[in-house]
Amino acid sequence: MAAERALAMATCTAPVNIAVIKYWGKRDTDLILPINSSLSVTLHQDQLKTTTTAAASRDFTEDRLWLNGKEADVGHPRVQACLREVRRLARKRRGGGEDAAALSLSYKIHIASENNFPTAAGLASSAAGYACLVSALARLYGLEEELSEVARRGSGSACRSMFGGFVQWQRGERPDGTDSLALQVAPETHWPELRVLVLVVSGEKKPVGSTAGMQTSVETSPLLKHRAEVVVPERLAQMMQHIRDRDFEGFGQLAMRDSNQFHATCLDTFPPIFYLTDVSRHIIALAHRYNAHHGHTKVAYSFDAGPNAVIFALTDTVAEFVEVVRRSFPPATNGDQFVRGMPVGSAVLPPELVAAVLTEPVPGAVQYILHTKPGPGPQLVDDPSQHLLGPDGLPRSRA
């Protein structure tokens, strides 16, 4: 009976995703409907993830939310939109009646969420955060259906974090957004040699948030309009083919071009938005010199709305390029902590590569490198000791 369920709890983890065909601009800011479709790579949760615990109890007196250990505003419109949508789906699933065995929809909710990476620094924290929130709430209420539409209401790119591997967010045509969904293009196992290096330039909050930035772009950038209507549809089809064919040359070239065009639309915005920094531009130039030296595309950069670089490469390139980065941006103090995540082998750079690719080093400009790979979508955490909330429904102290 519902009366006996004094406290129900569910914990999930969800991944970050990096768009290789970028989303920038909404046609409906309330429903979060994009002006163009986008395509992303889901990153592995061993390196980057959000963990969220959702709990419901008849003893809770109000909805509450904690982010990274600090209480936050549970009344935030996007959090409320996700809560409202999940509860609506749960009610609909029960046919409007109250199932005696099911969790009461009138119970208040406590939510705790933690990232194992910097929040709001251009590392897609909102995507992982809202995908995780929706996954945990859905598990709490026993929902199994398509949830990317719900996650989209929290953060547009969150709908892509509802799947692993390679994911398309379809623009959709309907004004109510019911066809603006995420679909998996290929699973994370599809391209086993693909690797991702996140070059963390800054863990600081970005100067112009994505939500404000993209709407200014929609209102003022003619380039963005051309991009959404003409460029992206063609690029999306090309990128899906490159992924299916595991064609790194095509994939890498297109990822770089699309990243550059996205940042060009930011520059075309009025007043202009600058997400890339001098260090970002150093990394771009370094990647081009490295590829030119090898005579083909061995590394490909992509930058979201922030200065951190995401570098795609195949396994046989990782060790050498990490050494190139280490020599170009010598670590200031954390030499042993400079490369994190999956292990990276050592590499000796040939003298001709050093001469052609390396320029004057910029010490300390890259804080660290995170080595990861494509990974799965949201996961249920079965181990009760991993819940972020204790039996009293309050955050566990993580000493």
Side-chain angles (χ1 to χ4, degrees):
M1 292 292 287
E4 287 157 21
R5 294 189 67 180
L7 179 73
M9 201 178 295
T11 299
C12 289
T13 63
V16 163
N17 72 76
I18 298 295
V20 288
I21 300 294
K22 304 290 188 191
Y23 147 60
W24 193 250
K26 303 180 185 76
R27 66 182 197 270
D28 185 314
T29 53
D30 181 39
L31 293 175
I32 310 192
L33 302 179
I35 60 170
N36 63 267
S37 297
S38 54
L39 189 65
S40 61
V41 181
T42 298
L43 304 186
H44 205 286
Q45 294 175 55
D46 283 355
Q47 284 75 45
L48 294 168
K49 70 177 174 190
T50 297
T51 304
T52 300
T53 298
S57 170
R58 61 169 183 241
D59 299 328
F60 295 165
T61 55
E62 58 182 347
D63 290 340
R64 294 178 75 181
L65 170 69
W66 292 266
L67 298 179
N68 294 312
K70 296 193 180 76
E71 187 144 16
D73 176 20
V74 76
H76 189 290
R78 293 185 173 196
V79 174
Q80 285 299 314
C82 290
L83 267 170
R84 200 167 49 244
E85 281 299 293
V86 170
R87 283 169 167 156
R88 183 184 67 77
L89 286 172
R91 194 170 290 114
K92 185 175 159 191
R93 181 153 191 208
R94 296 170 193 183
E98 190 71 37
D99 177 351
L103 182 66
S104 172
L105 292 169
S106 62
Y107 287 176
K108 299 298 183 186
I109 296 266
H110 286 189
I111 300 156
S113 190
E114 284 183 2
N115 295 336
N116 67 350
F117 59 91
T119 304
L123 282 178
S125 56
S126 64
Y130 281 107
C132 206
L133 172 66
V134 169
S135 299
L137 289 171
R139 182 58 68 157
L140 192 66
Y141 288 119
L143 295 177
E144 303 284 334
E145 48 257 55
E146 208 292 320
L147 293 164
S148 74
E149 191 191 339
V150 182
R152 191 200 73 226
R153 298 293 301 275
S155 171
S157 52
C159 72
R160 299 190 309 244
S161 277
M162 297 301 286
F163 296 95
F166 303 85
V167 184
Q168 180 191 1
W169 173 15
Q170 293 185 315
R171 176 191 185 276
E173 299 298 331
R174 296 180 201 143
D176 66 356
T178 49
D179 59 348
S180 186
L181 308 169
L183 299 169
Q184 189 181 66
V185 173
E188 63 274 13
T189 51
H190 169 71
W191 200 344
E193 304 79 24
L194 190 64
R195 292 291 178 270
V196 182
L197 297 166
V198 183
L199 276 52
V200 178
V201 170
S202 163
E204 302 300 303
K205 206 167 163 124
K206 51 204 179 195
V208 180
S210 303
T211 302
M214 70 173 68
Q215 283 323 103
T216 309
S217 297
V218 167
E219 288 156 18
T220 63
S221 168
L223 178 58
L224 182 64
K225 186 175 183 339
H226 174 73
R227 167 179 166 73
E229 292 172 4
V230 179
V231 181
V232 167
E234 187 178 311
R235 282 188 174 173
L236 199 74
Q238 290 170 341
M239 187 61 96
M240 288 202 277
Q241 195 58 51
H242 295 322
I243 289 166
R244 286 192 195 102
D245 296 342
R246 293 187 279 271
D247 169 10
F248 189 80
E249 182 74 30
F251 171 87
Q253 289 258 343
L254 195 51
M256 292 189 282
R257 287 176 181 275
D258 204 70
S259 175
N260 293 343
Q261 190 182 73
F262 157 54
H263 288 280
T265 65
C266 292
L267 195 59
D268 191 47
T269 299
F270 200 80
I273 306 167
F274 307 98
Y275 286 121
L276 303 181
T277 62
D278 283 346
V279 182
S280 312
R281 287 185 280 272
H282 271 297
I283 294 166
I284 289 171
L286 181 66
H288 283 287
R289 286 197 305 275
Y290 182 78
N291 289 336
H293 171 73
H294 282 290
H296 61 105
T297 304
K298 281 176 75 73
V299 296
Y301 54 79
S302 186
F303 293 81
D304 280 342
N308 297 318
V310 175
I311 305 285
F312 293 95
L314 299 178
T315 41
D316 58 6
T317 304
V318 169
E320 184 179 82
F321 191 69
V322 164
E323 187 56 29
V324 165
V325 173
R326 193 196 295 272
R327 295 273 288 271
S328 302
F329 308 100
T333 51
N334 64 339
D336 57 333
Q337 280 289 297
F338 187 59
V339 182
R340 305 178 188 180
M342 294 167 63
V344 174
S346 56
V348 177
L349 303 183
E352 61 274 17
L353 186 151
V354 172
V357 176
L358 298 190
T359 55
E360 191 66 32
V362 187
V366 172
Q367 292 181 18
Y368 62 91
I369 301 173
L370 184 71
H371 181 210
T372 185
K373 63 181 182 180
Q379 305 287 304
L380 177 69
V381 178
D382 284 324
D383 180 358
S385 71
Q386 297 302 302
H387 289 322
L388 301 181
L389 296 170
D392 57 358
L394 297 175
R396 291 178 191 265
S397 58
R398 301 210 165 252

